[in-house]
Amino acid sequence: MNFIFLGPQASGKGTQAILLSKKLSTPHISTGDIFREAIKKGDELGKTLQSYIEAGNLVPDDLTNKTIEKRLRENDIKNGFILDGFPRTIDQAEFLDKIIQINKVIDIQISDKEAVHRISSRRSCACGKTYNLLYNPPKKENICDLCGAELFVRSDDKPESVKIRLETYHQKTKPLVDYYKEKNILITIDGERPIETIYEDIINKISK
Ligand SMILES: [Zn+2]
């Protein structure tokens, strides 16, 4: 089966996508991971991607579509896959429909207020370690457990950037909910519950 996970930033969709990917032994394809990998390389593509992401904007459709098309040509997706972070616009969804069939779309819903609360609780360290004051705070206040450096709020976790991302989500990604509802493949999940409860709910609903 081929799955898509939908949901705003901090909805926990990445966590759930990874859990499902382990259970089904199918690849978890995250555009965020693919983009971060490219940014780390620091080449022309990486720099272009970084400029969009840091401003809280979506990476343009043609760039994202090309990246995903290339990934979906690999052999490991034969028995299914889980897409996380794609599609994010109707144009991307239509592009995807042309290259492959999607069986289920899992929409994890949280309120804007909850999203802002979760994201503004994130802290990062220059060494790469990340924390969330709500779920995994550092042992000493504002100090990295691993390297002892002072923690900071990443530029795309700052309220201005989060607000832009949520606005973009409502404008461009929310219409996908109706798009997949019309195709009768949408599953709606309440994301404001414990991780295990959400996971069980997903397993229940996809096996129906
Ligand atoms: Zn550190």
Side-chain angles (χ1 to χ4, degrees), residues 125-129 131 144-149 151:
C125 178
C127 75
K129 174 87 179 148
Y131 300 86
C144 179
D145 293 347
L146 296 183
C147 71
L151 303 179

PDB file of all heavy atoms in Angstrom, residues 125-129 131 144-149 151, ligand 1:
ATOM      1  N   CYS A 125      20.897  22.793  19.256  1.00  0.00           N
ATOM      2  CA  CYS A 125      22.289  23.014  19.617  1.00  0.00           C
ATOM      3  C   CYS A 125      23.122  22.998  18.337  1.00  0.00           C
ATOM      4  O   CYS A 125      22.779  22.312  17.379  1.00  0.00           O
ATOM      5  CB  CYS A 125      22.779  21.924  20.563  1.00  0.00           C
ATOM      6  SG  CYS A 125      24.520  22.143  20.996  1.00  0.00           S
ATOM      7  N   ALA A 126      24.210  23.748  18.346  1.00  0.00           N
ATOM      8  CA  ALA A 126      25.096  23.791  17.177  1.00  0.00           C
ATOM      9  C   ALA A 126      25.644  22.408  16.831  1.00  0.00           C
ATOM     10  O   ALA A 126      25.996  22.144  15.684  1.00  0.00           O
ATOM     11  CB  ALA A 126      26.241  24.767  17.430  1.00  0.00           C
ATOM     12  N   CYS A 127      25.683  21.493  17.804  1.00  0.00           N
ATOM     13  CA  CYS A 127      26.222  20.150  17.544  1.00  0.00           C
ATOM     14  C   CYS A 127      25.223  19.278  16.779  1.00  0.00           C
ATOM     15  O   CYS A 127      25.550  18.168  16.368  1.00  0.00           O
ATOM     16  CB  CYS A 127      26.622  19.457  18.844  1.00  0.00           C
ATOM     17  SG  CYS A 127      25.242  18.846  19.828  1.00  0.00           S
ATOM     18  N   GLY A 128      23.988  19.773  16.618  1.00  0.00           N
ATOM     19  CA  GLY A 128      23.005  19.014  15.843  1.00  0.00           C
ATOM     20  C   GLY A 128      21.907  18.406  16.694  1.00  0.00           C
ATOM     21  O   GLY A 128      20.852  18.004  16.200  1.00  0.00           O
ATOM     22  N   LYS A 129      22.121  18.336  17.998  1.00  0.00           N
ATOM     23  CA  LYS A 129      21.119  17.763  18.904  1.00  0.00           C
ATOM     24  C   LYS A 129      19.938  18.738  19.039  1.00  0.00           C
ATOM     25  O   LYS A 129      20.128  19.953  19.096  1.00  0.00           O
ATOM     26  CB  LYS A 129      21.793  17.508  20.262  1.00  0.00           C
ATOM     27  CG  LYS A 129      20.883  17.051  21.360  1.00  0.00           C
ATOM     28  CD  LYS A 129      20.695  15.545  21.366  1.00  0.00           C
ATOM     29  CE  LYS A 129      19.766  15.135  22.519  1.00  0.00           C
ATOM     30  NZ  LYS A 129      18.957  13.964  22.206  1.00  0.00           N
ATOM     31  N   TYR A 131      16.066  19.545  21.063  1.00  0.00           N
ATOM     32  CA  TYR A 131      15.280  19.293  22.273  1.00  0.00           C
ATOM     33  C   TYR A 131      13.894  19.881  22.093  1.00  0.00           C
ATOM     34  O   TYR A 131      13.687  20.738  21.233  1.00  0.00           O
ATOM     35  CB  TYR A 131      15.934  19.965  23.493  1.00  0.00           C
ATOM     36  CG  TYR A 131      17.327  19.484  23.774  1.00  0.00           C
ATOM     37  CD1 TYR A 131      18.425  20.056  23.130  1.00  0.00           C
ATOM     38  CD2 TYR A 131      17.547  18.463  24.688  1.00  0.00           C
ATOM     39  CE1 TYR A 131      19.718  19.606  23.376  1.00  0.00           C
ATOM     40  CE2 TYR A 131      18.835  18.003  24.944  1.00  0.00           C
ATOM     41  CZ  TYR A 131      19.910  18.578  24.294  1.00  0.00           C
ATOM     42  OH  TYR A 131      21.183  18.127  24.536  1.00  0.00           O
ATOM     43  N   CYS A 144      23.115  22.155  26.335  1.00  0.00           N
ATOM     44  CA  CYS A 144      23.089  20.869  25.641  1.00  0.00           C
ATOM     45  C   CYS A 144      23.661  19.747  26.516  1.00  0.00           C
ATOM     46  O   CYS A 144      24.753  19.892  27.074  1.00  0.00           O
ATOM     47  CB  CYS A 144      23.876  20.970  24.328  1.00  0.00           C
ATOM     48  SG  CYS A 144      23.928  19.425  23.413  1.00  0.00           S
ATOM     49  N   ASP A 145      22.922  18.609  26.612  1.00  0.00           N
ATOM     50  CA  ASP A 145      23.385  17.451  27.388  1.00  0.00           C
ATOM     51  C   ASP A 145      24.676  16.886  26.809  1.00  0.00           C
ATOM     52  O   ASP A 145      25.519  16.368  27.535  1.00  0.00           O
ATOM     53  CB  ASP A 145      22.345  16.316  27.338  1.00  0.00           C
ATOM     54  CG  ASP A 145      21.063  16.693  28.051  1.00  0.00           C
ATOM     55  OD1 ASP A 145      21.051  17.703  28.777  1.00  0.00           O
ATOM     56  OD2 ASP A 145      20.060  15.967  27.865  1.00  0.00           O
ATOM     57  N   LEU A 146      24.795  16.943  25.473  1.00  0.00           N
ATOM     58  CA  LEU A 146      25.916  16.275  24.808  1.00  0.00           C
ATOM     59  C   LEU A 146      27.210  17.077  24.875  1.00  0.00           C
ATOM     60  O   LEU A 146      28.263  16.532  25.141  1.00  0.00           O
ATOM     61  CB  LEU A 146      25.570  15.988  23.342  1.00  0.00           C
ATOM     62  CG  LEU A 146      24.416  15.018  23.082  1.00  0.00           C
ATOM     63  CD1 LEU A 146      24.269  14.791  21.585  1.00  0.00           C
ATOM     64  CD2 LEU A 146      24.648  13.693  23.808  1.00  0.00           C
ATOM     65  N   CYS A 147      27.103  18.401  24.583  1.00  0.00           N
ATOM     66  CA  CYS A 147      28.351  19.151  24.408  1.00  0.00           C
ATOM     67  C   CYS A 147      28.477  20.356  25.343  1.00  0.00           C
ATOM     68  O   CYS A 147      29.506  21.027  25.350  1.00  0.00           O
ATOM     69  CB  CYS A 147      28.487  19.590  22.948  1.00  0.00           C
ATOM     70  SG  CYS A 147      27.333  20.871  22.492  1.00  0.00           S
ATOM     71  N   GLY A 148      27.436  20.656  26.127  1.00  0.00           N
ATOM     72  CA  GLY A 148      27.525  21.749  27.092  1.00  0.00           C
ATOM     73  C   GLY A 148      27.349  23.141  26.514  1.00  0.00           C
ATOM     74  O   GLY A 148      27.471  24.132  27.234  1.00  0.00           O
ATOM     75  N   ALA A 149      27.062  23.226  25.225  1.00  0.00           N
ATOM     76  CA  ALA A 149      26.882  24.547  24.606  1.00  0.00           C
ATOM     77  C   ALA A 149      25.485  25.100  24.931  1.00  0.00           C
ATOM     78  O   ALA A 149      24.588  24.362  25.353  1.00  0.00           O
ATOM     79  CB  ALA A 149      27.057  24.450  23.094  1.00  0.00           C
ATOM     80  N   LEU A 151      21.817  26.456  24.191  1.00  0.00           N
ATOM     81  CA  LEU A 151      20.815  26.129  23.168  1.00  0.00           C
ATOM     82  C   LEU A 151      20.232  27.400  22.568  1.00  0.00           C
ATOM     83  O   LEU A 151      20.274  28.464  23.175  1.00  0.00           O
ATOM     84  CB  LEU A 151      19.704  25.279  23.785  1.00  0.00           C
ATOM     85  CG  LEU A 151      20.166  23.978  24.454  1.00  0.00           C
ATOM     86  CD1 LEU A 151      18.971  23.241  25.054  1.00  0.00           C
ATOM     87  CD2 LEU A 151      20.898  23.078  23.451  1.00  0.00           C
TER      88      LEU A 151
HETATM   89 ZN    ZN B   1      25.294  20.161  21.718  1.00  0.00          ZN
END
